[in-house]
Amino acid sequence: MNITQVTPFSKDLQEKIDLLIKRRTAIKLGNVSFDSPLLLAPMSNICAFPFRLLMEELGAGGTVSELISCHGINYKNEKTLRMLSIHPSEKNIGIQLFGESAESMAVSAKVVLDHCQPKFIDINMGCPVRKVVTKGSGSALLKDTSKLGHFFKTIKDAIDVPLTIKIRTGWDDDSLNSPEVIRIAREEGVEFVAIHGRTRTQQYKGLANWDLLEQVSKESVLPIIGNGDLHSPTLVRKRMANSNCKAFMLGRGPLRNPFIFLESYLEDGEEVNFTPGDYWEITSRLFEYNQMYTDRERTLLVMMRKHIMWFAAGLNNAGQFRNTLFKCPELDDTMNLTKDFFLSLTTAKKQLNPDEAFMTSGHG
Ligand SMILES: Cc1cc2nc3c(=O)[nH]c(=O)nc-3n(C[C@H](O)[C@H](O)[C@H](O)COP(=O)(O)O)c2cc1C
């Protein structure tokens, strides 16, 4: 990682960030402390350090890496090891591992601690993807709870940082067994449980079952982080005001509204307007972080293009801009077009349909 100084935000943007960020209250979940109860959810191919760090700067109380294969780590796969990079400015970061074998997970967790010193190690127990599940990892771990005690204990014994898990509500509607998983996790010293409020069978269809999340959290012996469909500051605020969950994870919401963590701290009727210029500033910051992460031009182009399109979603003329960007093969041109696009706008008010399907597949 080639760390360099980044360009400071403008005074105007920094003042807006400072105003809202100081309203956060720190929280402790088990033995893990966060700067606020609003955390960035793990997302594969998205939650490497550039996006994680940007989100911490824009108010996320903590972040989790994308899922990383224990076998990839144990085989010292170069690409997998790069996924373990943590930027020195990241404060509250967990590394998420996936695998089916307790022993391989324990070995890889030790490698992680030697490699990058995260604050905690998280186990992916929610990934619904066939390739992962057929090997017995991800949400397949929810199927046979008799093995979980050994699984958690073996990993926990290998590490000297807290162990946490992220699950779904169950495999399917006939096996909503999160209370059982939580009980076993507590016995083996897991600190907290993040729950995506859908079953594995449900994948990303329908809505997250918040009634169930609230009920499970109410009775839980461990702190629960609720997750699923919190895609607007209004929804986050409502949930924060009245919930049994101790914290919340936001995944897809921050992709299209990178200011969602900050805007969740707005008071009723208060307006702090983020401008098109602010969008350009945070895009530039993300670009600087991505340049520290990789010097491969093609990778940079792919990474930047997808974030730019998500940031632009719902802004005036976003459709036309997206078409132009798709046809642009050069990184420099992509960044110039993006600057021109954002700076040509007079408002950053978005028109997004909250019911429209967005990113309906993922690894958890
Ligand atoms: C593109 C994408 C990738 C994801 N990758 C992961 C992952 O690596 N690990 C994980 O536990 N969950 C992963 N998830 C699930 C999210 O963490 C989260 O549980 C889910 O998106 C629901 O939250 P949301 O409605 O706020 O997005 C992913 C989701 C998406 C959309």
Side-chain angles (χ1 to χ4, degrees), residues 40-46 64-68 96 122-127 166-168 195-198 204 208 227-231 249-255 310 358-364:
L40 179 68
M43 286 179 286
S44 59
N45 277 318
I46 295 170
V64 183
S65 76
E66 63 190 302
L67 83 174
I68 305 177
Q96 187 185 72
D122 186 61
I123 307 175
N124 180 309
M125 299 178 63
C127 178
K166 180 163 177 281
I167 66 177
R168 284 187 172 231
I195 312 181
H196 175 186
R198 290 183 172 84
Y204 281 78
N227 166 243
D229 304 340
L230 298 178
H231 294 168
M249 267 182 182
L250 315 187
R252 292 165 292 175
L255 300 178
W310 292 327
F358 172 60
M359 309 269 291
T360 51
S361 65
H363 285 276

Side-chain angles (χ1 to χ4, degrees), residues 11-270:
K11 189 164 167 280
D12 179 55
L13 173 56
Q14 194 58 56
E15 277 175 4
K16 286 184 276 196
I17 295 173
D18 293 344
L19 171 78
L20 295 170
I21 222 165
K22 68 173 187 235
R23 296 182 185 172
R24 304 181 309 170
T25 39
I27 182 170
K28 216 164 170 216
L29 303 178
N31 282 311
V32 189
S33 53
F34 293 107
D35 288 339
S36 90
L38 297 184
L39 313 175
L40 179 68
M43 286 179 286
S44 59
N45 277 318
I46 295 170
C47 290
F49 87 70
F51 189 64
R52 292 194 312 250
L53 181 53
L54 180 70
M55 287 301 104
E56 265 205 78
E57 289 170 341
L58 297 181
T63 67
V64 183
S65 76
E66 63 190 302
L67 83 174
I68 305 177
S69 156
C70 71
H71 301 303
I73 293 172
N74 295 342
Y75 292 140
K76 308 262 179 296
N77 177 292
E78 195 191 324
K79 192 168 162 230
T80 312
L81 293 181
R82 183 142 54 92
M83 289 157 82
L84 297 177
S85 317
I86 294 182
H87 188 283
S89 302
E90 284 187 277
K91 285 194 292 174
N92 301 307
I93 155 79
I95 292 286
Q96 187 185 72
L97 300 175
F98 78 100
E100 75 300 343
S101 143
E103 288 68 28
S104 305
M105 287 285 278
V107 173
S108 70
K110 276 193 195 156
V111 176
V112 171
L113 296 189
D114 285 345
H115 206 84
C116 63
Q117 295 94 46
K119 203 161 177 176
F120 58 100
I121 297 278
D122 186 61
I123 307 175
N124 180 309
M125 299 178 63
C127 178
V129 171
R130 188 181 296 273
K131 205 170 79 184
V132 171
V133 173
T134 48
K135 295 206 176 100
S137 51
S139 54
L141 290 165
L142 300 175
K143 277 190 130 176
D144 183 359
T145 49
S146 70
K147 294 185 187 151
L148 284 184
H150 169 75
F151 193 75
F152 294 147
K153 181 171 174 15
T154 310
I155 303 166
K156 171 95 184 142
D157 286 350
I159 59 178
D160 57 7
V161 297
L163 181 66
T164 66
I165 62 176
K166 180 163 177 281
I167 66 177
R168 284 187 172 231
T169 48
W171 180 262
D172 58 23
D173 281 343
D174 295 327
S175 57
L176 298 171
N177 62 355
S178 58
E180 168 78 352
V181 176
I182 294 166
R183 188 186 56 72
I184 301 167
R186 152 82 182 261
E187 275 166 20
E188 302 305 337
V190 168
E191 305 291 330
F192 63 72
V193 181
I195 312 181
H196 175 186
R198 290 183 172 84
T199 62
R200 187 273 167 178
T201 314
Q202 205 182 340
Q203 304 259 348
Y204 281 78
K205 289 193 280 291
L207 294 174
N209 186 344
W210 275 94
D211 289 343
L212 181 58
L213 286 180
E214 291 295 348
Q215 186 195 323
V216 169
S217 308
K218 192 170 174 195
E219 288 156 14
S220 172
V221 286
L222 284 177
I224 298 300
I225 302 177
N227 166 243
D229 304 340
L230 298 178
H231 294 168
S232 75
T234 314
L235 287 173
V236 177
R237 267 199 299 277
K238 263 198 204 147
R239 194 54 70 181
M240 273 205 292
N242 185 14
S243 178
N244 297 312
C245 296
K246 298 284 184 287
F248 305 92
M249 267 182 182
L250 315 187
R252 292 165 292 175
L255 300 178
R256 297 201 293 185
N257 178 2
F259 300 107
I260 190 170
F261 292 104
L262 295 169
E263 288 178 346
S264 297
Y265 288 94
L266 285 171
E267 281 156 20
D268 280 349
E270 185 185 25

